Amino acid sequence: MLLPLTLHPALFGIVQGGRFKDLREESTKAISAMGFDGFGIGGTFLKEDMGNAVRWVNEILPPEKPRHLLGIGEPTDILTAIENGCDTFDCVAPTRMARNSALYSKNGRLNITNSKHSSEYIPIEEGCDCYTCQTFTRAYLHHLFDAKEMLAATLASIHNLRFVVRLVDNARQAILDKQFLEYKEQFLKEYTVGG
Ligand SMILES: [Zn+2]
């Protein structure tokens, strides 16, 4: 059976070029000319170069087509990439962090194995609508990690993934409200305070 056109698999061209502006531009022009459905931005770059590398590419790519940034998933990096024109992301970071007991919160990353969480009968993050936060306390998560229960990684992953999806949902709304830079500034102010 033929799928509706909107459901056909989209083929993305991948832009490479590392941290070199001339190579990024050459790669972007070549890939842009090939008529892909969207574009992936790949290749290695240092974290501090990411904003530049992404901006060089996005200034050339066709504005009407989606841009996917490969391998970026840290909350602060996602906001930098959005600011420089990226639409979608994929990364192992949220689940890898979760398996290693690092949980995202709006006040920064918290390590749930820290003994101070053993008697905190509150959610990982107040106000979070994920299953883990709606159902369990920090103390319970601490216990699960302490007991090396596999459920710990599952519950922690549910929270970290929801945190990242909410971050991007809020960024999208902030863009629509023409408030993105204010949103980013406020997020970073709170995110780097705690930990
Ligand atoms: Zn949560």
Side-chain angles (χ1 to χ4, degrees), residues 10-24:
L11 191 61
F12 278 33
I14 310 297
V15 175
Q16 300 287 357
R19 56 190 304 212
F20 303 101
K21 189 171 189 224
D22 57 337
L23 296 181
R24 283 269 169 208

Side-chain angles (χ1 to χ4, degrees), residues 124 128-130 132-133 159:
I124 300 165
C128 177
D129 61 355
C130 85
T132 303
C133 288
H159 169 77

Side-chain angles (χ1 to χ4, degrees), residues 19-172:
R19 56 190 304 212
F20 303 101
K21 189 171 189 224
D22 57 337
L23 296 181
R24 283 269 169 208
E25 288 175 350
E26 187 181 335
S27 176
T28 309
K29 284 173 189 163
I31 297 292
S32 295
M34 293 183 193
F36 286 105
D37 299 310
F39 300 92
I41 302 170
T44 51
F45 31 66
L46 298 176
K47 272 207 170 205
E48 55 268 32
D49 293 338
M50 189 193 71
N52 278 336
V54 168
R55 191 173 64 254
W56 296 333
V57 170
N58 281 333
E59 282 173 354
I60 298 171
L61 287 175
E64 73 282 9
K65 291 189 175 175
R67 300 98 180 265
H68 179 87
L69 185 57
L70 291 142
I72 294 295
E74 278 300 304
T76 52
D77 295 336
I78 287 176
L79 291 183
T80 300
I82 291 173
E83 184 178 357
N84 288 291
C86 292
D87 300 304
T88 55
F89 309 88
D90 73 280
C91 192
V92 299
T95 49
R96 183 159 62 197
M97 291 285 171
R99 288 195 301 279
N100 288 295
S101 67
L103 301 176
Y104 297 137
S105 88
K106 58 177 182 280
N107 297 119
R109 219 188 277 162
L110 62 88
N111 188 330
I112 198 68
T113 58
N114 189 313
S115 60
K116 73 178 179 185
H117 300 306
S118 66
S119 55
E120 287 181 333
Y121 299 97
I122 55 173
I124 300 165
E125 181 173 71
E126 294 285 358
C128 177
D129 61 355
C130 85
Y131 170 73
T132 303
C133 288
Q134 294 288 308
T135 316
F136 303 107
T137 62
R138 290 182 183 186
Y140 182 60
L141 266 287
H142 174 90
H143 157 72
L144 290 177
F145 272 101
D146 199 41
K148 302 196 180 346
E149 284 281 356
M150 282 192 68
L151 181 61
T154 303
L155 294 179
S157 295
I158 288 170
H159 169 77
N160 275 5
L161 287 171
R162 178 63 190 134
F163 181 91
V164 171
V165 169
R166 187 166 56 238
L167 174 82
V168 178
D169 279 350
N170 290 342
R172 182 187 295 123

